[in-house]
Amino acid sequence: MNQFFSLKRFTLLVLKHWADNKKRYGLSVLAFIGLLITWFVFTMLTGFDNIPMGKAVQQITFFLSLFAVGTFYASQYFRDLGSRSKGINFLLVPASAFEKLLCSLLYSVVLFFIVFTTAFYLIDVLMVAIANSLPGTEKLAGKPNVINVFKVIILRFNSDSTINFLLFFFSVQSAFLLGSVYFEKYSFIKTIICGFVAGFILFCMMYFFYEHLLPNGGFHKGFLTSFRVHVDGVNDHLVQVPRWIGEVFRFLIMYGIAPFLWIVTYFRLKEKQV
Amino acid sequence: MISIKNLSFAYKKKPVFDGLNLQFKAGHVYGLLGKNGTGKSSLLRNIAGLLYPQNGSITVNGFTPFERLPVFLEDVFMVPEEFYLPDISVPDFIKHYAPFYPRFNSEKFRNYIAVFEIPADSTLQNMSYGQKKKVLISFALATNARILLMDEPTNGLDIMSKSQFRKILAEALDEEQCIIISTHQVKDLENLIDRITIIDEGKILFDENVETITKKLSFRFAYDAEDVAAAIYSESSLIGNVIVAPNIDGDEGKLDLELLYKAIITNSEKITKLFQQ
């Protein structure tokens, strides 16, 4: 049998993970539903938006809770490795590191997103229906409607912002998954701190690059791919990297970060010691 | 079956082994003894592929343990001192864990837990530590893995369970299996172990078959002061002195693991000389 990937072993691993965690997952979904209902009721009672269950409330609730719950869940996935007894149990299960990683991605990325979105809509549809049945709603300027989370405009200047935002979420979530293998304790907090430190270092590097290495001017129609060198306003010239480099760069930023972090997680998992 | 060559291992700055050489063969039950912190558990975890040696090599059934290939893991089962079992019922545990081990024998498992008097449909989380350990030991033996590593297996077991454990282990062992037991509870396993390995300060202090030990050493009471003076090790008891002395008659007596261990730790030079003759 293939020692890197076997569908039979992978299926066994997925079923084993479900058997080990079904109670915890079931209770977590119920707790999330309870919190969501409480929050929506709170927004309706306090008039958080102009209309009960308005678009803004639904949008903010979906994306904020997606980030909060998704990153927390990812940071907990490999928490067993922080405990000697659980770590031994996890590492000695006869399956490859690749199968174990793939199982973690199936649960923390794919199934999490499906279950989260389903649970959100289940409550959202219900709460919008309740909001519409409230006395006086028909007199309001806008009628509460269920939002399409894949089509809402988050950044007004970018029509693809929702898709980019979701891709950004998967990258952030992958960083938390890596953090759960890397840090034996407090992985959620430590990953947040590392994220801020990495972000700050990146910002400083960009600032240094922009202020001290590049000539006088500024980025023009495309961040990092097109630079306008200021001379006198008339003889300014434009420095552009070839279009394909810009496209590759954009592609890597959008789709490359999460898989890169998964690869790092794989090697970290393979080298894990207990 | 297990070959350890020139193994060096350290936790950050604390060295555990330095140039350790050992062989473990099929068909034997090895007793791994040593003081606290001498590296018995670390050796087991190196063999299981949970730790990576800094130097030297370990080969287990022809595999390098730390690669943790599924085919290697199917044939190695470890019962750690601190273990974890999920919050599920025993039948669910078997349903979801047993398929990973191709030679798992469900009938054997049912027999073992029956001997241990564990209700077959109980939930693991509602069990006591000792009951959980008995489930894990039963599972370990039922996997038919060729390498069984047990770290303090009798810790937490009551008196009856300890004798049940000895009975089950004696029945379960076959010629293809190699069982390594790390323990301080030497009395619990005295009649099971057929080779004793004692580790001290990262080195092998003693490594002999029980048969050779009983041929060369005698463990007995001594009432004569001369006998006591000539002994390798002696300790007083209410009914006289218990001694470990060279076996002059050549008759094989009964092994007292606790006395042997004390004799080796306090007088390893004499013992080594005797076994080199």
Side-chain angles (χ1 to χ4, degrees):
Chain A
M1 203 182 276
N2 191 325
Q3 296 303 302
F4 185 70
F5 181 76
S6 141
L7 189 64
K8 187 188 166 201
R9 272 197 313 261
F10 176 66
T11 312
L12 288 175
L13 204 59
V14 171
L15 294 173
K16 178 192 154 301
H17 183 87
W18 175 246
D20 288 354
N21 295 284
K22 60 185 175 192
K23 277 185 195 165
R24 189 162 65 96
Y25 288 169
L27 290 170
S28 303
V29 172
L30 287 177
F32 174 67
I33 286 173
L35 282 171
L36 210 56
I37 293 171
T38 311
W39 167 247
F40 281 143
V41 170
F42 174 77
T43 60
M44 284 198 274
L45 292 174
T46 55
F48 190 83
D49 204 351
N50 293 331
I51 52 169
M53 289 303 288
K55 203 174 158 187
V57 168
Q58 294 178 59
Q59 249 175 261
I60 290 168
T61 307
F62 180 81
F63 287 103
L64 271 185
S65 54
L66 177 70
F67 266 76
V69 181
T71 53
F72 184 74
Y73 172 51
S75 77
Q76 297 296 297
Y77 190 88
F78 289 116
R79 69 180 177 158
D80 283 3
L81 294 170
S83 138
R84 183 182 286 182
S85 55
K86 288 179 178 177
I88 291 174
N89 177 57
F90 180 86
L91 291 177
L92 291 188
V93 168
S96 68
F98 180 69
E99 287 153 358
K100 288 173 187 173
L101 174 76
L102 215 57
C103 183
S104 75
L105 295 179
L106 176 71
Y107 276 97
S108 66
V109 179
V110 182
L111 293 177
F112 167 79
F113 190 74
I114 293 170
V115 172
F116 178 89
T117 312
T118 310
F120 175 83
Y121 270 115
L122 208 68
I123 303 307
D124 196 47
V125 168
L126 181 77
M127 297 310 282
V128 168
I130 291 171
N132 277 313
S133 65
L134 289 174
T137 310
E138 66 281 358
K139 290 175 194 163
L140 294 168
K143 203 178 160 217
N145 275 317
V146 174
I147 59 158
N148 180 349
V149 293
F150 300 99
K151 282 196 174 164
V152 291
I153 308 286
I154 298 167
L155 305 171
R156 298 199 186 282
F157 55 85
N158 185 348
S159 57
D160 290 336
S161 60
T162 311
I163 297 303
N164 291 346
F165 208 64
L166 287 174
L167 289 170
F168 175 62
F169 164 70
F170 290 122
S171 302
V172 173
Q173 199 192 27
S174 307
F176 278 85
L177 195 67
L178 172 62
S180 75
V181 184
Y182 227 94
F183 304 116
E184 291 190 351
K185 280 179 183 167
Y186 314 117
S187 69
F188 185 64
I189 298 164
K190 286 179 181 172
T191 311
I192 291 175
I193 294 168
C194 285
F196 277 119
V197 171
F200 180 71
I201 292 171
L202 193 67
F203 172 78
C204 291
M205 281 169 64
M206 297 286 281
Y207 180 78
F208 178 77
F209 180 71
Y210 188 81
E211 284 293 312
H212 301 286
L213 297 181
L214 289 175
N216 187 23
F219 290 112
H220 176 79
K221 285 185 185 171
F223 181 60
L224 294 180
T225 55
S226 173
F227 192 82
R228 186 177 184 145
V229 181
H230 180 74
V231 180
D232 53 11
V234 180
N235 297 312
D236 289 1
H237 47 269
L238 199 65
V239 180
Q240 269 184 307
V241 293
R243 190 183 163 82
W244 69 269
I245 293 180
E247 288 297 316
V248 168
F249 187 69
R250 190 176 126 84
F251 181 85
L252 286 178
I253 293 284
M254 283 177 69
Y255 305 105
I257 295 172
F260 170 74
L261 292 169
W262 297 339
I263 292 168
V264 179
T265 309
Y266 167 74
F267 283 105
R268 187 70 194 164
L269 195 59
K270 214 170 149 38
E271 291 165 5
K272 192 73 188 172
Q273 299 189 65
V274 175
Chain B
M1 195 154 223
I2 302 175
S3 169
I4 299 171
K5 287 181 187 159
N6 203 25
L7 177 77
S8 297
F9 176 78
Y11 288 108
K12 289 181 182 165
K13 286 177 184 173
K14 190 195 162 208
V16 181
F17 305 121
D18 186 18
L20 191 79
N21 290 292
L22 258 178
Q23 300 282 330
F24 295 100
K25 289 179 184 157
H28 293 282
V29 181
Y30 291 85
L32 203 57
L33 313 179
K35 293 177 200 162
N36 289 329
T38 47
K40 300 185 298 296
S41 303
S42 302
L43 181 64
L44 294 187
R45 277 187 274 146
N46 267 283
I47 294 170
L50 293 164
L51 292 172
Y52 186 74
Q54 273 87 30
N55 268 312
S57 68
I58 305 181
T59 314
V60 178
N61 292 336
F63 297 101
T64 303
F66 196 67
E67 287 175 1
R68 294 198 286 253
L69 294 178
V71 66
F72 161 78
L73 296 171
E74 283 168 2
D75 225 359
V76 174
F77 198 94
M78 184 173 180
V79 178
E81 190 178 6
E82 293 168 47
F83 60 92
Y84 164 79
L85 287 175
D87 180 15
I88 53 178
S89 67
V90 174
D92 271 357
F93 178 67
I94 297 308
K95 187 181 164 192
H96 292 105
Y97 280 70
F100 285 103
Y101 299 91
R103 286 185 298 280
F104 188 87
N105 188 326
S106 303
E107 201 178 318
K108 269 188 178 180
F109 177 79
R110 279 194 293 272
N111 288 341
Y112 297 148
I113 61 162
V115 173
F116 275 134
E117 295 167 3
I118 303 282
D121 54 351
S122 47
T123 301
L124 290 165
Q125 220 55 28
N126 296 334
M127 290 182 182
S128 68
Y129 173 83
Q131 285 178 311
K132 279 186 198 172
K133 193 154 210 177
K134 287 188 256 184
V135 172
L136 188 64
I137 289 169
S138 305
F139 187 86
L141 294 170
T143 59
N144 286 314
R146 281 189 292 164
I147 309 284
L148 266 181
L149 308 169
M150 297 189 171
D151 197 357
E152 301 290 354
T154 54
N155 262 10
L157 298 190
D158 57 43
I159 297 165
M160 288 303 287
S161 303
K162 281 178 183 177
S163 60
Q164 287 159 349
F165 170 72
R166 283 193 292 269
K167 186 185 163 210
I168 285 175
L169 199 65
E171 281 174 13
L173 180 70
D174 72 37
E175 284 304 303
E176 285 189 0
Q177 271 183 319
C178 169
I179 303 180
I180 306 174
I181 303 173
S182 157
T183 186
H184 289 115
Q185 319 279 333
V186 285
K187 289 275 178 205
D188 295 343
L189 304 166
E190 217 156 50
N191 300 324
L192 272 177
I193 293 168
D194 55 18
R195 195 174 176 93
I196 318 286
T197 306
I198 298 178
I199 302 179
D200 195 46
E201 291 176 5
K203 301 263 184 217
I204 300 299
L205 199 60
F206 184 82
D207 184 30
E208 289 294 341
N209 281 323
V210 168
E211 205 184 318
T212 317
I213 297 168
T214 50
K215 266 183 192 165
K216 296 214 170 191
L217 290 173
S218 75
F219 304 84
R220 58 190 161 85
F221 279 102
Y223 305 100
D224 191 342
E226 268 180 36
D227 274 358
V228 176
I232 297 170
Y233 176 80
S234 71
E235 63 182 36
S236 56
S237 73
L238 287 173
I239 50 167
N241 286 292
V242 201
I243 64 162
V244 179
N247 188 353
I248 302 160
D249 314 335
D251 296 337
E252 282 182 40
K254 199 176 174 300
L255 169 71
D256 187 319
L257 256 180
E258 199 175 311
L259 275 182
L260 173 73
Y261 179 75
K262 287 174 182 170
I264 292 165
I265 291 295
T266 54
N267 211 342
S268 69
E269 252 179 59
K270 260 193 183 176
I271 300 250
T272 311
K273 253 187 204 170
L274 185 73
F275 279 86
Q276 279 170 351
Q277 283 168 12

